[in-house]
Amino acid sequence: MEGYYTYFSIFLLLAITSSTIISVQGQGTRVGFYFRTCPRAESIVRATVRSHVTANPKMAPGLLRMHFHDCFVQGCDASILIDGASAEKTALPNTLLRGYEVIDDAKKQLEAICPGVVSCADILALAARDSVSLSNGPSWPVPTGRRDGRVSLASDAANLPGFTDSINVQIKKFADKGLDIKDLVSLVGGHTIGTSACLFFRYRLYNFNSTTGADPSIDPSFLPTLRNLCPEDGDATKRIALDTGSEGRFDSTFFNNLRNGRGILESDQKLWTDSATQSVVRRFSGPFRGLSKLLFNVEFSRSMVKMSNVGVKTGLEGEIRTVCSKIN
């Protein structure tokens, strides 16, 4: 049965992701964009990501989050990478992002063999895919051909999805980027790898409301564990796994945790408690673990291709930065 899931997964992933890729070709990106101009581009990015993730597995979720945060502000144009006192990376939701050195490393290697060819935006999109793959997750063809933006403002990051957002607000923010409810649930499922600081969810554990004290959507048997990890007056920067029991492995247990009241972020847990998104969570957390993971992998891959083409700059738009942290 496991072998059947594997072959079925490959078939579905190729079929669904390929149809999504075709739908975004008109935006100026395409799979194999660097085939003639820099044929080693993708292999260099992959090897660089592998080297860094092997040395520090926390780089994998960091690169995935960075790509997400980049695409939701000014489109997928690597504006998150630009340095500056009021640049995007200084906005509160972005201050704990990690992985910048991975992108810089890959860019330096690419500039040595293909100067002025491969964009930082494409490096980030490829690195996000490779990070997932290296974490036991799926891989997918990434359309490339993005160009780098010249604007990076912390004030523009106000549109990023927030950890207290209601489902209606989350749906609106994703819809504004051309992403639907299935995309929303699938992409938030990226929280199956990585951590969150206590700062972003500790309020759920103490004095959440006057009746229960803690957020009533939290499994009561799980509450003591969370309180031990994040004491009321403890270190707000301490990091806790977003997917309890499976922090470093890309799988569908994140959704099982939501069903069991073990979501860490309030916005994540609402995916289960709100009827608008619960049916998708239910699909990704069914009784057959292999099938649930298969469905999630396929939908996540499809949604990543869609998201990575949000607001892309192509053709004569933007530029190809020489150094990812600086506008030319």
Side-chain angles (χ1 to χ4, degrees):
M1 182 62 75
E2 197 64 37
Y4 171 78
Y5 284 148
T6 300
Y7 288 117
F8 188 49
S9 175
I10 293 171
F11 173 77
L12 276 180
L13 189 55
L14 288 174
I16 295 179
T17 307
S18 295
S19 66
T20 305
I21 291 170
I22 291 171
S23 73
V24 300
Q25 295 281 10
Q27 298 181 26
T29 60
R30 67 177 187 272
V31 173
F33 183 85
Y34 298 111
F35 179 73
R36 289 185 175 84
T37 56
C38 193
R40 294 179 56 203
E42 294 201 24
S43 63
I44 286 174
V45 173
R46 187 177 301 112
T48 304
V49 173
R50 181 183 293 111
S51 174
H52 283 269
V53 169
T54 299
N56 181 3
K58 293 179 180 179
M59 288 297 177
L63 290 166
L64 178 59
R65 306 279 190 277
M66 189 185 296
H67 182 45
F68 180 91
H69 284 223
D70 181 50
C71 290
F72 265 74
V73 182
Q74 296 285 340
C76 306
D77 66 349
S79 53
I80 187 66
L81 304 177
I82 296 173
D83 287 339
S86 59
E88 220 172 282
K89 62 169 61 174
T90 67
L92 180 60
N94 296 330
T95 53
L96 297 179
L97 290 177
R98 67 179 80 195
Y100 295 103
E101 62 269 41
V102 183
I103 306 303
D104 290 341
D105 187 359
K107 179 63 171 174
K108 183 177 180 180
Q109 295 178 59
L110 289 167
E111 284 297 306
I113 63 169
C114 308
V117 173
V118 183
S119 70
C120 301
D122 278 342
I123 294 172
L124 183 51
L126 292 166
R129 185 270 310 273
D130 296 335
S131 294
V132 170
S133 178
L134 288 166
S135 302
N136 192 52
S139 185
W140 58 90
V142 175
T144 45
R146 300 166 190 78
R147 289 172 66 85
D148 300 322
R150 296 190 180 101
V151 176
S152 182
L153 297 172
S155 56
D156 290 336
N159 289 329
L160 280 168
F163 57 91
T164 62
D165 285 349
S166 68
I167 291 300
N168 285 339
V169 169
Q170 292 184 62
I171 289 173
K172 174 66 165 56
K173 288 181 177 180
F174 276 71
D176 287 345
K177 305 299 179 184
L179 302 169
D180 58 27
I181 289 177
K182 192 185 297 182
D183 297 319
L184 160 61
V185 178
S186 299
L187 292 170
V188 172
H191 287 169
T192 182
I193 55 174
T195 60
S196 172
C198 291
L199 168 69
F200 298 118
F201 69 90
R202 188 166 56 188
Y203 67 93
R204 299 181 66 207
L205 313 180
Y206 311 94
N207 305 313
F208 184 79
N209 61 42
S210 58
T211 305
T212 62
D215 183 343
S217 67
I218 299 174
D219 172 12
S221 68
F222 187 46
L223 186 59
T225 299
L226 291 179
R227 285 177 168 169
N228 284 334
L229 291 169
C230 292
E232 190 167 11
D233 298 319
D235 181 4
T237 64
K238 182 180 179 182
R239 303 196 69 84
I240 306 301
L242 285 165
D243 187 5
T244 302
S246 184
E247 171 188 344
R249 188 177 180 86
F250 195 98
D251 54 29
S252 60
T253 60
F254 171 77
F255 299 103
N256 294 85
N257 279 329
L258 296 186
R259 289 186 71 151
N260 294 327
R262 297 191 168 212
I264 301 300
L265 300 180
E266 182 182 2
S267 55
D268 288 357
Q269 189 59 51
K270 286 174 179 174
L271 295 176
W272 173 251
T273 58
D274 194 295
S275 60
T277 48
Q278 187 182 99
S279 62
V280 185
V281 175
R282 197 180 294 277
R283 286 184 62 204
F284 295 157
S285 59
F288 302 104
R289 186 65 60 86
L291 182 58
S292 296
K293 182 182 178 183
L294 158 63
L295 292 173
F296 172 48
N297 283 352
V298 169
E299 293 298 346
F300 181 82
S301 301
R302 182 189 65 84
S303 295
M304 282 294 288
V305 173
K306 284 181 66 177
M307 184 192 74
S308 71
N309 278 277
V310 168
V312 294
K313 296 168 177 63
T314 58
L316 299 178
E317 299 175 299
E319 63 184 16
I320 304 298
R321 283 183 224 139
T322 303
V323 177
C324 289
S325 59
K326 300 177 182 178
I327 298 169
N328 290 346

